[in-house]
Amino acid sequence: MFDTQGLWIIPLCTVIGALCGWLYSRVMAARAMASESKPAPSSKPVPAAPPAPPPSMPHPMPAASEPKPPEPKRSEPKLKESLSPPLVPPRPSEGASIQDWISHAEILDFDGFASEAREVLTIALDRCATAVESGRRPDVGEVLTRALTAATRMADQGTLARVHALLGRLSERMDDKDGAHEHYLAALELYENRNDRRGIGAACELLARLHARLDDPEGAEAYWRYGLSLATAMGNRKEEARILGVLGRLASLAGDLEGAEELFREAMTLEEALGRPLEEGVLTADLARLERTRGKEETARVLFDAALARLAEAGADPEELDRLRGERGEP
């Protein structure tokens, strides 16, 4: 006979097993849902957050350090030292011809040495001036023509004016009065453009003397008075006295005796103030001749004596003194 009292345990175990299975299925379903709701992990690593800065603390004062000696400067190559400046060609020797000096000036100007070219051309013109006055160089005209071209290319009005003045002197010596007048006028205009008073005065002197040789006293007087105004403006008392004497002689030749006397006495006053007995003696002799022209012989003799005294004091040429004594009328 079976024991019927233990049979109730079977259905009880069945119920408990079913309950446990149902609870297990619910737990697994909940885990699945939780895993689907989370984002998929990134394949790139997430950078770590920077560490938090430490709390700021007051910086301690740096300890006083002894001053350090300055470091020696490095010697760096300079541009001027690395690039050699162009060398100025050497000048011709002192015995070189004027043509050589002109050629050297042309080379310097072509190579860009403007100031050196002008200086060399000035030396060449000094030699040209000597050749013109001596008349010993037949080729000086050709040299001056080259100098004129070089000065024109250099655009140096002062040098160009001097070349024209020398060409005028050469033309005058060759008895070409028209050519001389043209060159002198060109020189005067160039000097006026530069406001070169000394150059203007020199050109006026050349033009005045040329007009005097051409028997044009009015033209000569105009240029000498132009030069006189410049000398007065410049305060050149020596030149002023000289031109006053020249104008006095010009007035005396023209028969203007009163005007000549006034000019002579004004020039004598200046020469006396300048302390130049030689020039004062020459003017006194001019005044003596003027008084003789007026018929005042006694006054003329007194003035001749005064002129001889001043000239002797200045150490004048003995022949000039003898000539003046004969003019005075001594036996």
Side-chain angles (χ1 to χ4, degrees), residues 155-175:
D156 185 354
Q157 290 190 341
T159 305
L160 188 59
R162 190 183 178 194
V163 176
H164 275 294
L166 288 172
L167 283 169
R169 286 289 298 144
L170 181 63
S171 299
E172 197 170 354
R173 292 184 67 87
M174 296 175 65
D175 203 28

Side-chain angles (χ1 to χ4, degrees), residues 161 164-165 168-169 172 176-192 199-227 230 242 246 250:
H164 275 294
R169 286 289 298 144
E172 197 170 354
D176 182 8
K177 302 294 192 301
D178 292 337
H181 191 264
E182 183 179 351
H183 283 298
Y184 290 157
L185 285 178
L188 177 61
E189 183 178 0
L190 288 166
Y191 283 131
E192 287 176 335
I200 294 171
C204 285
E205 182 73 17
L206 291 171
L207 283 163
R209 290 177 179 273
L210 178 62
H211 279 270
R213 293 188 185 98
L214 293 173
D215 295 328
D216 181 14
E218 293 181 356
E221 181 182 1
Y223 283 111
W224 265 315
R225 288 197 176 276
Y226 189 1
L230 291 171
R242 185 191 70 82
V246 172
L250 197 64

Side-chain angles (χ1 to χ4, degrees), residues 68-135:
K68 297 181 180 180
E71 296 181 359
K73 296 182 178 180
R74 297 180 179 177
S75 57
E76 297 180 356
K78 297 180 180 180
L79 181 60
K80 291 184 179 180
E81 296 177 357
S82 60
L83 298 177
S84 300
L87 297 177
V88 180
R91 292 184 178 183
S93 63
E94 288 299 322
S97 66
I98 305 177
Q99 295 277 11
D100 291 338
W101 284 95
I102 296 290
S103 299
H104 188 60
E106 292 170 341
I107 292 171
L108 288 172
D109 180 57
F110 181 79
D111 290 342
F113 300 104
S115 59
E116 290 83 357
R118 287 192 294 269
E119 185 178 352
V120 170
L121 188 56
T122 299
I123 296 174
L125 291 179
D126 291 340
R127 301 190 174 202
C128 284
T130 303
V132 168
E133 298 303 327
S134 65

Side-chain angles (χ1 to χ4, degrees), residues 57-63:
M57 296 295 289
H59 295 283
M61 293 294 292

